[in-house]
Amino acid sequence: MAKKWYMLTMVGRDRPGIVSHVTAALYDGGCNLGEATMARLGGNFTIMLMVQFDGKRQALINQIEPVVQSMGLHVNIDSINAELHHHLIPDVRITVYGADRLGIVAQVTTALTEAGLNILGLESDVAGTVEQPIYVMTIEGVASEGIASLQAVLDIMSGKGIETSLSAIETMIG
Amino acid sequence: MAVRDILTHPSACLKQIAEPVSVFDQSLQQLLVDIEDTLALAPGCVGIAAPQIGTSQRVIMTAVKESSGGRGRQVLINPEIVSHEGQVSGREGCLSVPDFTGNVVRAVDIVVRAQDSDGQQQLFEFSGFEARVVQHEIDHLDGLLFLDRLVSRRHDLFRRKVYSTKD
């Protein structure tokens, strides 16, 4: 029987060595790793990690428990279907920035979704200073109804305290 | 006519320096036919280098349509970039690296010295998307994949240049 895939999500105060300790424990337990994203968000360590493992969820929890304790992490483990080798290719990148205020993400993503955007990736940072934070967000996705409809939505939103830009991603295959 | 298999990583042929072409004979013409046939059947592909079909020779073919600002099918033999200008990040994929795309910084404008299929040396100017294709394919001749030049998706300092497009 094929090994099962799990999604391991971990959060904790960032410190050096978390990735190596966690992955060493997983390797010792016979786990195979799939796709992963680690990010440092507001000084917190976060990782989402696909793990292929022979045993049950509880056995996986037991395997990483010592390192989780020693590193002060919170863990969530979900059984998942792994759809590897079927990456979608984004065809548009949108950048939004403005003074940090409530509702930017909801407003922008709701409008873009209604205009046909399928979001494949989203990253945001809070830059600037404590007094004057600047919210910066980059979205990549597939414009299922074309780029013009997304641009029209952004044109309406721009100038109301946020700046937006859109560029086509033309992927070169060689 | 021969459509050849496209080598995928890992393959020794993709990681070695290809040999210069010194003889412009019938076997070279056959190689060009094979490259063209293989390229024609590769969906969405705009360039192929000879090492990708298992021939470690310094031969590339690009196929950027005129509607995309290119010069159509272009054979470049023993190509060398003699000058370049500007830098821009853009998304690349490769037939030899299935199911992965990533950002790579390339020169915006390049001048390439290369020979044509008869061995005549010429200078070619490429710009934008087509220049990216040529640089990607020349990398194949030097044993480099776009994976060797990836830049971070996050904090991508180079915005893609917007070329004039008519909707």
Side-chain angles (χ1 to χ4, degrees), chain A residues 85 87 140 170 172-174, chain B residues 46 91 93 95 99 154 160:
Chain A
H85 315 298
H87 282 113
E140 289 189 350
E170 191 174 16
M172 183 234 111
I173 306 293
Chain B
V46 287
R91 190 72 61 112
L95 295 175
D99 197 45
R154 195 176 169 90
R160 185 180 175 282

Side-chain angles (χ1 to χ4, degrees), chain A residues 172-174, chain B residues 32 35-36 39 45-49 59-65 70-76 79 110 124 126 129-138:
Chain A
M172 183 234 111
I173 306 293
Chain B
L32 295 177
I35 290 176
E36 185 170 6
L39 183 56
C45 182
V46 287
I48 283 192
V59 178
I60 69 173
M61 185 179 292
T62 63
V64 179
K65 290 179 187 152
R71 58 179 85 214
R73 190 174 63 80
Q74 179 68 56
V75 172
L76 299 172
I110 55 173
F124 300 86
F126 298 101
F129 186 78
E130 194 173 40
R132 173 173 299 279
V133 180
V134 172
Q135 290 169 83
H136 177 113
E137 302 308 335
I138 289 177

Side-chain angles (χ1 to χ4, degrees), chain B residues 4-134:
Chain B
R4 293 214 227 155
D5 289 339
I6 291 164
L7 300 181
T8 55
H9 179 76
S11 163
C13 194
L14 293 172
K15 294 303 287 180
Q16 68 195 27
I17 310 255
E19 293 292 328
V21 174
S22 52
V23 182
F24 290 74
D25 59 2
Q26 186 55 38
S27 72
L28 175 68
Q29 304 308 320
Q30 186 57 50
L31 172 63
L32 295 177
V33 171
D34 289 357
I35 290 176
E36 185 170 6
D37 291 346
T38 307
L39 183 56
L41 284 191
C45 182
V46 287
I48 283 192
Q52 289 182 281
I53 59 168
T55 300
S56 191
Q57 289 192 294
R58 302 189 77 79
V59 178
I60 69 173
M61 185 179 292
T62 63
V64 179
K65 290 179 187 152
E66 288 179 24
S67 58
S68 300
R71 58 179 85 214
R73 190 174 63 80
Q74 179 68 56
V75 172
L76 299 172
I77 298 171
N78 300 325
E80 280 178 81
I81 297 172
V82 293
S83 68
H84 61 88
E85 208 170 295
Q87 283 194 317
V88 64
S89 173
R91 190 72 61 112
E92 297 185 17
C94 184
L95 295 175
S96 297
V97 186
D99 197 45
F100 185 81
T101 62
N103 291 337
V104 179
V105 176
R106 302 285 188 187
V108 179
D109 301 298
I110 55 173
V111 177
V112 174
R113 179 167 53 226
Q115 287 162 281
D116 64 17
S117 57
D118 298 321
Q120 295 301 309
Q121 195 162 83
Q122 297 179 45
L123 284 178
F124 300 86
E125 291 180 17
F126 298 101
S127 189
F129 186 78
E130 194 173 40
R132 173 173 299 279
V133 180
V134 172

Side-chain angles (χ1 to χ4, degrees), chain A residues 52-71:
Chain A
Q52 198 178 26
F53 181 62
D54 236 344
K56 293 208 160 80
R57 185 172 169 277
Q58 187 59 49
L60 183 55
I61 293 172
N62 295 344
Q63 178 62 33
I64 56 171
E65 189 58 24
V67 67
V68 163
Q69 289 295 334
S70 70
M71 289 280 164

Side-chain angles (χ1 to χ4, degrees), chain A residues 97 101 154-164:
Chain A
Y97 70 91
R101 64 168 167 80
L154 293 176
D155 288 345
I156 294 169
M157 308 202 81
S158 291
K160 295 176 181 170
I162 59 170
E163 304 292 328
T164 67

